[in-house]
Every structure is written in structure tokens, then in C-alpha cells.
Amino acid sequence: MQSSASLSFAHRPLVPVAHDYPHGATEPWHQHDCAQLLHIISGVVRVDTQSGCWVIPPGRGVWLPAGTRHALRITGQVAARTLFIDPLARADLPAACQIVQISALLRELIVASLALPEHYVGGSREERIYELILDEIRGMTVLPFGLAEPQTAILRQLCRSMQARPADDWSSQRAARLVNMSERTLNRHFQQQTALTWSEWVRRARLMEALIRLAQGQSVLAIALELGYGSHSAFTAMFRRVMGISPSDYFND
């Protein structure tokens, strides 16, 4: 991935970059002085930040505000299109990390921007494409593929234990016993620190792990059982409810 140190916004508000990753590739912890929209066309990318992790399925993107330290982990053959954006290009650009839906219009605008020159005339087609991209970014739909990390050590350890053994019983009742809290106290702390209840956090963690395993080519039945679902149908129902498509069809779409 291109370093932001080599980017210039003197003549345009954003710099588009096409980049492909092989399966298993990683990028170490780093940050950019500019904002970044990373759009994934194929494969799955996990983005770790200091506030949590974010899994980007195909057709989606992750928004990273300027100065966000992050690292990448690649699953499958990933085709990525990145927009590095001048943080001063708009006053109301998103202020937090988030997984976003890339609309059909924004997807085509990103493709078009790759062929645009750095220098352009005011009022030209090139300028209108750049400005429309910025308008579309402001209206992106946020998706539930982020997993905020709680601040307290005892809750972070509980999350680590769940992610290490996702098939175990992770009911709020059992989790509360493990951390010596009442269910009500556990959920209150989780909502305060992650904006999710414990059960919601577990469901989201399992979905994100499922996306990575599907990109690796694992069977739907194996994923369902290894993530704690009682049956293929229960997992498929959850996946379809959130993703709008069955897991068996998702990476063949």
C-alpha cells in the first residue's frame, strides 16, 4: 500500500490507488496523515485498530479517519481500491472508524477516479467526479462488522476467551459468572464501553469470524458447528438476516 508521505493534495482532494493482496498477506501497524476509504472487491480484510477490529467483506469498505493506527490481515485473494482523502476536503467527513456499504454509484466513481489526472480545470468533469465522491462518502451506510473492544482488562479478557473458544456456551448468564458480575452489570458495562450488550457482541464476533472462514473456503456446516450454532439452518438464518444472502451464496455472488 502506498505511503501517505508520498501523497499530495495540492491539486486534488483525494488520491485513488488500486492494490491487490495475496492470501495471508499482512500490513504492520501504521497510520496516515490523511483519511482513508479502503474498498474491498474480493476476499476479506481484517483491520485492527487501537479501539477494536473491523472485518471488511467483499463489496464493502472501511473508513479510517486521519491518524488512525491500524494493521491489516488478508484472507483470500484481495482486490482493494483505496481513496486517500485530504481531511480538510469536507468539514463533515466521518469522525470514527466504521465498516460501510459501498453504493453502486460510489463503486463506479472510485473506478473512474483511478484514470483521472492530478491536475484538472475548475468546473470540469474531473472536478465533478472528485466532488461527487466526497458527497457520496458523507452518505455512506454504516454496517455492523466492527467489534469495539471494551476498556477494562477483565472484559477484554472475557472477549479474548470467547474468541478463542467461540463454540462454547457464551450466554450472558455464564459470562457474568466468569467475571463475578450480575448479568445486568455485565450488560451495562458492555453497553457503556462498546455500545453493544454482551450477547450482541458475541453474535457480531461470530459473524465476523464466519466471514473470514467462508473466505478461506470452509464449509458452512463446519463453520456453524465450530462457532457454536446448533445447526446449519440456525447459522444460515442468522447470516441471511444480517447479510441479506445465504452463506453458501455469499462468496459466489
Side-chain angles (χ1 to χ4, degrees):
M1 182 64 67
Q2 184 169 350
S3 169
S4 61
S6 63
L7 302 175
S8 171
F9 302 108
H11 304 290
R12 54 181 174 175
L14 59 91
V15 177
V17 177
H19 191 83
D20 295 338
Y21 295 92
H23 174 67
T26 62
E27 282 196 10
W29 286 94
H30 64 287
Q31 64 189 60
H32 305 292
D33 294 333
C34 55
Q36 182 180 3
L37 176 63
L38 178 61
H39 170 39
I40 302 305
I41 298 172
S42 63
V44 167
V45 175
R46 171 173 167 146
V47 180
D48 289 293
T49 74
Q50 292 175 310
S51 60
C53 66
W54 318 83
V55 171
I56 322 169
R60 277 70 172 184
V62 64
W63 174 263
L64 299 168
T68 302
R69 292 195 72 245
H70 60 283
L72 306 182
R73 284 189 256 175
I74 307 302
T75 301
Q77 299 297 317
V78 167
R81 304 295 179 261
T82 297
L83 299 179
F84 292 104
I85 301 163
D86 183 351
L88 301 178
R90 286 285 193 277
D92 55 351
L93 292 172
C97 295
Q98 51 197 28
I99 301 297
V100 293
Q101 182 69 50
I102 302 295
S103 68
L105 175 57
L106 181 54
R107 181 180 66 245
E108 295 305 319
L109 289 168
I110 292 172
V111 171
S113 71
L114 291 167
L116 295 182
E118 180 177 355
H119 298 265
Y120 55 87
V121 178
S124 64
R125 171 182 177 272
E126 289 81 5
E127 181 182 56
R128 290 194 297 272
I129 290 175
Y130 282 126
E131 294 301 316
L132 187 51
I133 288 174
L134 294 173
D135 288 340
E136 285 296 298
I137 285 173
R138 294 157 62 203
M140 294 183 300
T141 300
V142 180
L143 300 173
F145 303 139
L147 203 59
E149 185 170 275
Q151 288 81 53
T152 56
I154 190 171
L155 294 185
R156 286 201 302 271
Q157 183 54 49
L158 179 64
C159 293
R160 299 287 183 274
S161 297
M162 179 270 150
Q163 290 171 311
R165 301 187 306 278
D168 286 6
D169 169 22
W170 290 109
S171 64
S172 56
Q173 182 179 31
R174 176 174 179 264
R177 287 200 306 269
L178 289 173
V179 294
N180 197 28
M181 295 180 186
S182 68
E183 288 184 69
R184 184 174 179 179
T185 299
L186 173 69
N187 282 314
R188 185 177 72 249
H189 285 318
F190 248 85
Q191 285 189 303
Q192 289 172 344
Q193 297 180 37
T194 70
L196 300 170
T197 65
W198 167 249
S199 295
E200 291 168 340
W201 195 96
V202 169
R203 281 195 295 272
R204 189 172 292 191
R206 284 173 169 159
L207 173 61
M208 291 168 58
E209 180 63 23
L211 290 169
I212 292 172
R213 294 184 183 211
L214 285 168
Q216 293 171 337
Q218 296 184 25
S219 75
V220 175
L221 178 59
I223 293 171
L225 298 178
E226 290 172 8
L227 294 185
Y229 290 89
S231 66
H232 180 291
S233 59
F235 170 70
T236 296
M238 177 283 299
F239 194 95
R240 188 186 294 276
R241 184 172 61 251
V242 177
M243 304 297 294
I245 189 172
S246 71
S248 58
D249 292 336
Y250 189 77
F251 283 90
N252 297 319
D253 187 39

